[in-house]
């Protein structure tokens, strides 16, 4: 049958391979014997030159290793509460993590002291997370307090507040509407203003909705003192605005995990004027879209005047309509939308301003979402702080 035929063919090939081997010459065997004798002699000399106590400990360790290999099973539990398999898995993971980060350092171009600090912070956070667990950190994040905020009272708090205040008032602010509301309340509290209760009227409009949202944002930070609010403003801004971190890297949050470490290393190499580069790119895309839309519209008009086939005319009309839609979208990206549009969209989606529990979300994933938001979503055309 087919199996027997192929089995016989494989057997013949194996026999021919064995028969084709040449026996080692006597001189090769003599060289192998001399190598083994020399190696054993070196090992014996080193063993004999050791003190008797070291020789005894070596023999005891070797005997213990033999007993462990013969008697200990892979599923047996060790005295410190883990099995042999779990101990081996943890040891291999630690080994891989260490060498992975070491190889990452070797692969980084233009390695600097800041890169070493980022990797060291990531290692320290991993050790802390493995010893105390992830729940305390998540609880801190859900309450809006990070590890950096806990140690924020430094002599540079006034400098950080001045930087954050100036940043929040620039026209090209890339922070989303909800993030700006939270920062607005913290900014007003840092200025020493007291929260004001706003009662919405029955015929509430966008103006009263915005005033109510601002008052709620102010009340959310009323428990903080002025010094605490000033100390936390720059750190909270760094958590929601990647452009601020690119301009002022010292306010970046400590990296968490492998993904956070890689993201922090990448962020350190971003241009300081990241928001201006983004706006410039969006403006250039808008210009190109307007030019192409104008060309498509002109082409459709020319074909219409020449009484061309309706299929050709409608093809260019559809291209012009698509260009108009793209131009409108790019115009919203480059110039932003009024705050009323953002507020209406938030109320339409029944968005709760300060009841979002994002502590379980990975820091790196949340930061990537922020990058996608500032690249693809229209911003507020006028910062809330100057409204």
């Amino acid at each position: 049958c087919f199996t027997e035929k192929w089995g016989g063919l494989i057997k013949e090939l194996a026999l021919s391979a064995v028969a084709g081997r040449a026996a080692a010459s006597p001189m090769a065997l003599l060289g192998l014997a001399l190598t083994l004798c020399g190696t054993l002699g070196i090992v014996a000399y080193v063993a004999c030159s050791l003190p008797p106590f070291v020789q005894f400990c070596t023999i005891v360790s070797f005997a213990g290793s033999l007993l462990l290999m013969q008697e200990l099973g892979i599923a047996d539990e060790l005295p410190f509460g883990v099995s042999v398999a779990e101990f081996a898995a943890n040891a291999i993971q630690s080994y891989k993590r260490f060498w992975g980060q070491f190889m990452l350092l070797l692969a980084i171009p233009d390695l600097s002291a800041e890169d070493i600090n980022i990797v060291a912070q990531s290692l320290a956070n991993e050790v802390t997370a493995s010893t105390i667990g992830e729940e305390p950190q998540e609880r801190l994040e859900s309450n809006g307090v990070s590890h950096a905020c806990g140690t924020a009272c430094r002599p540079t708090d006034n400098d950080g507040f001045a930087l954050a205040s100036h940043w929040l008032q620039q026209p090209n602010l890339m922070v989303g509407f909800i993030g700006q509301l939270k920062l607005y309340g913290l900014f007003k509290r840092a200025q020493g203003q007291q929260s004001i209760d706003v009662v919405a009227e029955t015929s509430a409009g966008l103006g009263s909705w915005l005033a109510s949202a601002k008052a709620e944002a102010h009340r959310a930070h009323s428990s903080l003192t002025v010094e605490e609010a000033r100390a936390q403003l720059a750190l909270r801004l760094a958590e929601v605005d990647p452009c601020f971190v690119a301009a002022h890297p010292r306010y970046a949050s400590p990296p968490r995990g492998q993904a956070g470490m890689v993201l922090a290393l990448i962020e350190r190499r971003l241009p300081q004027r990241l928001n201006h580069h983004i706006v410039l790119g969006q403006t250039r895309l808008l210009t190109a879209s307007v030019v192409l839309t104008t060309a498509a519209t002109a082409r459709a008009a020319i074909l219409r005047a020449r009484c061309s086939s309706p299929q050709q005319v409608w093809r260019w009309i559809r291209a012009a309509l698509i260009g108009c839609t793209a131009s409108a979208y790019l115009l919203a990206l480059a110039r932003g939308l009024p705050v009323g549009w953002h507020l209406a969209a938030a109320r339409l989606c029944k968005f709760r301003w300060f009841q979002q529990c994002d502590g379980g979300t990975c820091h790196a994933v949340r930061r990537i979402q922020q990058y996608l938001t500032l690249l693809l979503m229209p911003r507020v055309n006028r910062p809330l702080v100057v409204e």
Side-chain angles (χ1 to χ4, degrees):
C1 65
F2 180 79
T3 306
E4 294 178 354
K5 179 180 178 180
W6 280 101
L9 180 59
I10 293 174
K11 185 176 180 181
E12 291 178 1
L13 291 174
L15 291 175
S16 62
V18 172
R21 293 179 183 174
S25 63
M27 297 304 295
L29 295 177
L30 178 61
L32 179 61
L34 291 176
T35 304
L36 291 177
C37 291
T39 305
L40 292 176
I42 293 173
V43 173
Y45 175 77
V46 173
C48 293
S49 62
L50 294 175
F53 180 75
V54 176
Q55 295 178 2
F56 174 75
C57 292
T58 304
I59 295 173
V60 171
S61 299
F62 184 72
S65 301
L66 291 178
L67 289 176
L68 286 176
M69 294 175 63
Q70 292 180 357
E71 300 296 333
L72 189 63
I74 193 67
D76 295 342
E77 185 175 351
L78 296 175
F80 40 86
V82 296
S83 65
V84 178
E86 293 174 346
F87 176 77
N90 293 333
I92 293 173
Q93 287 180 358
S94 301
Y95 177 83
K96 291 172 60 179
R97 187 182 303 112
F98 170 77
W99 283 106
Q101 293 174 345
F102 181 74
M103 296 305 294
L104 179 63
L105 286 176
L106 294 180
I108 294 176
D110 301 329
L111 187 65
S112 63
E114 288 79 6
D115 298 327
I116 303 296
N117 291 332
I118 290 173
V119 176
Q121 288 179 357
S122 177
L123 284 173
N125 290 335
E126 287 184 4
V127 172
T128 304
S130 63
T131 54
I132 66 175
E134 292 293 335
E135 294 183 358
Q137 181 66 30
E138 294 179 1
R139 193 179 305 115
L140 287 175
E141 289 185 0
S142 62
N143 291 333
V145 180
S146 63
H147 172 72
C149 291
T151 59
C153 297
R154 300 188 299 268
T156 60
D157 285 344
N158 292 329
D159 298 336
F161 174 73
L163 285 174
S165 301
H166 176 71
W167 190 272
L168 288 173
Q169 299 177 34
Q170 64 177 350
N172 293 334
L173 185 63
M174 294 291 182
V175 183
F177 176 69
I178 304 301
Q180 285 198 42
L181 270 180
K182 295 181 180 181
L183 292 172
Y184 172 85
L186 188 61
F187 175 75
K188 291 301 181 181
R189 183 58 189 146
Q191 288 183 328
Q193 298 185 15
Q194 298 295 330
S195 60
I196 302 175
D197 294 332
V198 177
V199 180
E201 301 177 357
T202 305
S203 58
L206 290 178
S208 60
W209 290 349
L210 181 60
S212 177
K214 286 183 175 181
E216 186 178 354
H218 203 169
R219 287 194 300 270
H221 299 90
S222 59
S223 60
L224 297 175
T225 63
V226 175
E227 291 75 14
E228 291 174 345
R230 292 174 69 91
Q232 292 184 15
L233 183 61
L235 299 171
R236 296 287 184 86
L237 177 58
E239 290 178 357
V240 298
D241 191 1
C243 298
F244 181 76
V245 176
H248 307 286
R250 63 182 180 273
Y251 293 104
S253 301
R256 304 165 193 166
Q258 295 284 339
M261 180 184 64
V262 174
L263 186 61
L265 293 173
I266 295 175
E267 282 186 330
R268 203 188 68 78
R269 285 161 172 79
L270 293 176
Q272 290 188 351
R273 295 168 59 88
L274 180 61
N275 52 348
H276 295 280
H277 286 280
I278 292 175
V279 173
L280 180 61
Q282 293 171 346
T283 304
R284 290 178 177 177
L285 288 176
L286 173 62
T287 303
S289 178
V290 170
V291 170
L292 293 176
T293 304
T294 305
T297 305
R299 181 61 178 171
I302 292 172
L303 292 177
R304 177 72 175 177
R306 291 178 179 178
C307 298
S308 299
S309 63
Q311 291 80 4
Q312 291 182 349
V313 175
W314 279 107
R315 187 183 300 118
W316 285 102
I317 290 177
R318 284 193 294 267
L321 291 176
I322 294 174
C324 290
T325 305
S327 299
Y329 170 69
L330 291 172
L331 179 62
L333 283 181
R335 298 292 181 263
L337 294 176
V339 64
W341 290 43
H342 292 269
L343 181 60
R347 290 184 63 88
L348 184 63
C349 298
K350 301 185 184 303
F351 215 108
R352 296 299 300 169
W353 319 122
F354 307 105
Q355 295 182 1
Q356 304 175 73
C357 295
D358 54 354
T361 307
C362 178
H363 172 74
V365 175
R366 188 162 62 246
R367 180 63 89 185
I368 292 174
Q369 292 175 350
Q370 292 172 359
Y371 279 109
L372 294 176
T373 299
L374 64 90
L375 288 174
L376 302 177
M377 296 296 293
R379 55 185 173 85
V380 183
N381 63 346
R382 183 178 174 85
L384 293 182
V385 172
V386 299
E387 279 284 344

